[in-house]
Amino acid sequence: MMNWYEKLNEYFPIEEMKSKKHMELLLEDPNGFYQKDEGSEHVMIYAEFDTCIFVDYLWVAAESRGHGTGHKLMDKLKQKMKPILLEVEPIDPNVIDTNRRLNFYQREGFKHAKSIIFLNHSFQTKEIAPLEILYWSLEDEKQGFIFEQMKKIYQSVHIYKSLEIYGREFGDVDEVLQLDENRNTRDLLTV
């Protein structure tokens, strides 16, 4: 039987995966902000801060999709009454799960932070793997607020002990994350 990391590693593209050591160190951090919610049919890894929650990975077993597991996990986070942020890869017409994932987040009430540019540096392949930011909030949060939260997430989660773990530094937050109110990109969550 696969452990939680193997399940995530098998499902997510290599460009998006942190190393197991990276995730274990985050989970062991004494601040306790990085957490794992795991069951036989799901793995959800998230970071909870005072001002937001960041869903790093959400995996639901193929046979359990469409049966409310993902909805229950999102509901659990929504009960905390904080904005929820997450990253998604751009739509790939050759990968059916990208559309399915976006449809799920749209049903859950997420919005696309179209003005945020995230030039993510892959932990494993060292390539730039651009990601889009989705968010859910009770308030009508401005994208500037979401942007500031993403900067905190990048520094606290993504580049956490990166020199120790990967033997290299990742891009500075101001190089990797940018806010462009005039960015001309389509809304991922409008079909």
Side-chain angles (χ1 to χ4, degrees):
M1 189 158 122
M2 290 193 291
N3 70 31
W4 63 270
Y5 185 80
E6 292 167 330
K7 291 172 184 174
L8 296 176
N9 200 37
E10 185 177 273
Y11 181 70
F12 286 92
I14 184 96
E15 300 83 37
E16 292 179 31
M17 282 301 296
K18 291 174 179 61
S19 72
K20 187 173 185 187
K21 179 180 180 183
H22 188 166
M23 294 174 77
E24 287 173 340
L25 287 172
L26 280 163
L27 288 165
E28 293 164 5
D29 186 280
N31 292 320
F33 66 91
Y34 201 71
Q35 301 173 40
K36 175 175 53 154
D37 182 330
E38 179 182 15
S40 59
E41 300 177 341
H42 76 276
V43 177
M44 180 170 65
I45 308 285
Y46 66 98
E48 184 172 357
F49 301 99
D50 292 341
T51 53
C52 72
I53 297 169
F54 170 65
V55 178
D56 206 0
Y57 298 96
L58 174 60
W59 171 85
V60 174
E63 60 277 4
S64 299
R65 291 183 200 139
H67 294 93
T69 304
H71 174 71
K72 287 176 191 160
L73 291 166
M74 283 296 120
D75 248 15
K76 202 175 190 179
L77 295 180
K78 288 175 182 177
Q79 297 299 318
K80 297 174 183 273
M81 311 295 271
K82 297 177 185 179
I84 302 169
L85 287 71
L86 54 91
E87 304 153 356
V88 294
E89 68 270 14
I91 294 177
D92 182 343
N94 301 317
V95 181
I96 194 161
D97 275 350
T98 58
N99 272 331
R100 195 177 288 149
R101 202 172 300 127
L102 289 174
N103 288 335
F104 167 74
Y105 290 119
Q106 185 175 33
R107 285 191 309 274
E108 288 298 318
F110 279 76
K111 296 176 183 167
H112 180 200
K114 295 188 331 179
S115 61
I116 299 176
I117 300 166
F118 184 23
L119 302 173
N120 181 48
H121 289 82
S122 170
F123 303 100
Q124 312 273 6
T125 67
K126 300 182 182 176
E127 297 170 14
I128 292 181
L131 294 171
E132 295 293 331
I133 309 302
L134 303 182
Y135 66 99
W136 174 90
S137 179
L138 286 171
E139 305 293 319
D140 188 20
E141 301 293 355
K142 302 292 180 234
Q143 292 197 25
F145 173 81
I146 300 302
F147 177 68
E148 290 305 318
Q149 302 313 300
M150 277 307 301
K151 287 169 69 172
K152 177 170 53 180
I153 290 162
Y154 181 76
Q155 293 170 312
S156 304
V157 176
H158 291 331
I159 60 173
Y160 179 87
K161 297 187 178 185
S162 60
L163 196 55
E164 174 187 332
I165 298 165
Y166 301 102
R168 64 189 169 94
E169 295 284 345
F170 286 84
D172 183 63
V173 68
D174 295 321
E175 297 167 18
V176 175
L177 278 159
Q178 293 145 22
L179 184 64
D180 180 357
E181 299 287 348
N182 300 315
R183 182 179 180 211
N184 189 14
T185 188
R186 78 176 194 82
D187 189 332
L188 288 179
L189 299 178
T190 3
V191 187

